[in-house]
Amino acid sequence: MDMFVVRGGRPLRGRVTVSGAKNAALPIMAAALAANGTTVLHGVPDLVDVTTLSQVLRSLGMFVERRPDNSLALTAVDEQRCLADYELVRRMRASVCVLGPLLGRRGRACVSLPGGCNIGHRPIDLHLKGLRALGAQITIDRGYVFARADRLIGTDIYLGGSFGSTVTGTCNVLCAAVFAEGVTTISAAACEPEVVDLGRYLNAMGARIEGLGTPLLRIEGVHSLAAVEHTVIPDRIEAATLLIAATMAGGRLQVDNVDAQHLAAVIDVLRMVGVGIEIRDRTVIVTAPDRIRSLDITALPYPGIPTDVQAQLTALLSTAEGISVVTDKVFPDRFMHIPELMRMGANVRREGASSIISGVKTLSGACVMASDLRASAALLLAALAADGESVIRRVYHLDRGYERLEQKLNQVGADITRVADLPETMPNSLQLSEAEQQPLAVDASDVPPPKFLSKGEFDRYRTPQ
Ligand code: EPZ
């Protein structure tokens, strides 16, 4: 397990390039299950979550190969396998994205319930509501979702929940609806750019989806989808993280491969707190002010401020002049970063789904512990700005969702050293072995059946009835 040693107070100057979007790549990789032929994806970032999903797809009979040109090739070679095992799904809840494509293409799926994580309760009731509406028979037993659908029939589905739309829920229902007989409408659909990217990939394969990027999707079912090549959109969350990093560390940073439209809410916040932002086509140039102003912000579904940038903005506002209030309407408990920021001198008080931040002029270096992907990013940004040295432990959280982030930051002036952490009794299942992190070629036959299913039960999910 690694940790970062960060020497703060060094301004960032130069150029960095944003990688492909993790949250677009993952549902698109899952949707490749539904394709006839070999899908070739460009711009898929080299992340632990991508490796984990590749393993899940391997266990579902997919051949997954990282080619020399860095593209990812995915081909279904054994469509009898329909079980996504707990041991893999629990490492990354987005594995649940295989549910829709499996049902649409193979008519059955057995997927482990994803379980919770450090950012709060993460049910999949809306996913299952949408799939049931299309005609799937779904039962939940022993921590698994058992789903079957001999036929999917188009219908009208309302997919809104008490926290608004669901991103991966929209992805799952979309991937099933493209095969449903007749017309399906999904209202209260997620409008995130990553969902739009999935929809464009499906349409390129022959699906008929209208309304992408709006809360109302209309899908006309088709019989099959032909595999295509697709380039994943840039990662707007990484872009936002880099813009905030430069704002906190000081200096002037040019961030390339950005779709500024996807970042409108974040750019608006940065401008409102006094940051210099210049947009040139697919490049954003950020110039840090001496000190930012305070601001009240609320994380909302797209096009609002992304909840995935809330922790980073909380770190930024902890150094603002004045009092700021940060509210997260998507994940009201997503504040694991607050106690660690306070170890660095931040002055923050939790009030329900909000945090009240009284800005301090300077943060101080400290030893802190990452708890989840975006909290670890927030701690790294704070360490860049802090006076003195910080140690950030459990950076495996960061490796799940950022591609070579410390190299990118060090190239523009940061001083981040990755070192092996003290041995800690962390369940090794959270760490992938060297072999597990290698690009994967399929040999689906070597995936053992899950422990709790008898051979007969397991075979029921392998061979058509
Ligand atoms: C996606 O998660 C992203 N992950 C998350 O990014 C992101 O934070 C989230 O969307 C919100 O934008 C991927 O795309 C892989 P949701 P998802 O379903 O789809 C509730 C990161 O850091 N809800 O949109 O799981 C849910 O509890 C990750 O990259 C239900 O109530 O999130 C939450 O409050 C973290 N029932 C809200 O909706 C459901 O069936 C939004 O969740 C589903 C969700």
Side-chain angles (χ1 to χ4, degrees), residues 48-69:
V48 169
D49 275 6
V50 168
T51 301
T52 303
L53 185 60
S54 299
Q55 288 192 316
V56 172
L57 294 175
R58 168 187 170 201
S59 72
L60 293 167
M62 294 288 281
F63 179 89
V64 184
E65 177 194 28
R66 183 73 79 167
R67 291 181 168 173
D69 66 355

Side-chain angles (χ1 to χ4, degrees), residues 22-23 93 122 124-126 166-168 308 330 374:
K22 166 179 83 81
N23 291 350
R93 60 180 319 284
R122 303 188 71 183
I124 60 166
D125 57 306
L126 298 172
T166 165
V167 172
T168 51
D308 292 348
V330 179
R374 306 305 177 183

